[in-house]
Amino acid sequence: MRLAFMGSPDFAVPALHALHGAGHEIAAVYCQPPRPAGRGQKETPCPVHRAALALGLPVRSPARVRKDVAEHAAFAALDLDAAVVAAYGLILPKPMLEAPRRGCLNIHASLLPRWRGAAPIHAAILAGDAESGVTIMQMEEGLDTGPMLLKGAVPIGPRTTTPELHDALADLGARLILRALAEAPPPMPQPEAGVTYAAKLTKEDGRLDWVQEAAALDRRVRALNPWPGTFFRHGGEAIRVLAAEPAAGGGAPGTVLDEAATIACGSGALRLLRLQRPGRGPLPAADFLRGFPLPPGTLLG
């Protein structure tokens, strides 16, 4: 089948490899333009761009596509059977959605209609969902509103982190898109009940509010690392919390309860396991506390 692949981050790479390995003709790979990255702010291609180059595939990285008539024409000229989209990062306009003979198929990292939007993997862990999954969806102009072709579920355990769930869903998405192209299942409209939205995350979403219950803060730490990261403020610094777990204890929210960095929450307590100061490397809590003490009774911000 003659395809375009449209994706940018690591999540999309397994699907690109699967489509290439299955023998589909990939006429073009679309991804976000290179961005400044690292201390030197060197222009760096995204993961899909790098994977496409390694496979010898042609890459297009327009900064915008919604109103670019020339880009619409170039896309139509590819004469595609279908386009596969996975976390591309740009909104496709109607002329591009309708250009391929079988339209554009999206690999969405949730069990639609739950968690439409930008950050479905994080949202599922934050909410305490028992499972997540992947939906292969026929794209339309609405935000993740198109009819569904296939679904697959992945359980979320009590200690599941976003990186773990991300990788499981990326692999599942790669398998499901091959099935969707081969089997052409009939599209099913999304149910109107159960729609939720996963908003785009900001750094401030990572601030730990000790008034919340320990279970919710534990989910926040597991959901928001490595990005945007979770943190609290103390001594004029934003201290990153890279790993934590619920613990027994109680007291005024934000109070350090013991020498093991157990912090009282609105309900229960959270034990900090791995921490990082600005400009420093991450450390186990015991090592961190030797250089940055948090004595019992300390009130954290």
Side-chain angles (χ1 to χ4, degrees):
M1 196 171 294
R2 184 171 170 84
L3 306 174
F5 184 85
M6 313 179 85
S8 297
D10 286 316
F11 176 80
V13 172
L16 175 60
H17 281 294
L19 293 167
H20 183 266
H24 290 287
E25 179 189 1
I26 301 177
V29 174
Y30 282 74
C31 57
Q32 290 278 312
R35 310 283 192 207
R39 291 188 177 182
Q41 292 295 285
K42 181 181 178 182
E43 291 283 317
T44 303
C46 67
V48 165
H49 193 149
R50 298 195 298 271
L53 292 179
L55 293 171
L57 299 173
V59 176
R60 297 180 65 89
S61 53
R64 298 176 181 83
V65 296
R66 289 190 72 179
K67 298 181 180 181
D68 190 334
V69 176
E71 196 63 55
H72 302 171
F75 186 72
L78 292 173
D79 190 31
L80 301 171
D81 293 309
V84 173
V85 183
Y88 177 34
L90 295 179
I91 296 174
L92 300 183
K94 188 175 182 179
M96 295 182 74
L97 292 173
E98 295 180 345
R101 283 177 282 279
R102 289 178 57 179
C104 298
L105 308 185
N106 181 241
I107 304 172
H108 185 76
S110 82
L111 296 172
L112 290 171
R114 187 162 178 80
W115 303 130
R116 295 173 180 173
I121 297 175
H122 306 79
I125 295 177
L126 280 170
D129 291 355
E131 65 177 4
S132 181
V134 168
T135 304
I136 306 298
M137 175 189 68
Q138 190 85 42
M139 294 179 70
E140 57 182 32
E141 289 186 274
L143 178 63
D144 300 328
T145 58
M148 305 175 295
L149 303 178
L150 284 175
K151 277 187 178 182
V154 170
I156 300 177
R159 307 308 308 152
T160 298
T161 64
T162 282
E164 292 166 346
L165 184 56
H166 169 282
D167 291 353
L169 295 181
D171 290 342
L172 175 59
R175 297 194 299 272
L176 288 180
I177 193 60
L178 293 182
R179 282 186 52 199
L181 292 172
E183 300 170 13
M188 297 181 57
Q190 294 187 36
E192 295 182 5
V195 174
T196 57
Y197 290 91
K200 187 176 181 179
L201 295 167
T202 69
K203 288 189 177 181
E204 193 58 29
D205 289 318
R207 183 161 189 164
L208 297 175
D209 180 1
W210 303 111
V211 174
Q212 295 184 7
E213 64 178 10
L217 293 177
D218 169 57
R219 292 196 299 270
R220 188 161 294 271
V221 172
R222 290 186 287 112
L224 301 190
N225 280 303
W227 194 92
T230 49
F231 67 95
F232 62 88
R233 295 192 181 277
H234 184 68
E237 297 185 20
I239 307 301
R240 288 195 65 179
V241 178
L242 305 176
E245 63 183 5
T255 302
V256 180
L257 299 178
D258 56 25
E259 301 288 349
T262 304
I263 316 301
C265 304
S267 174
L270 190 72
R271 179 166 293 122
L272 310 182
L273 301 177
R274 194 166 180 81
L275 300 158
Q276 184 177 13
R277 294 176 67 182
R280 310 285 184 90
L283 291 171
D287 296 335
F288 179 91
L289 294 173
R290 280 194 281 271
F292 195 90
L294 298 173
T298 300
L299 187 62
L300 305 180

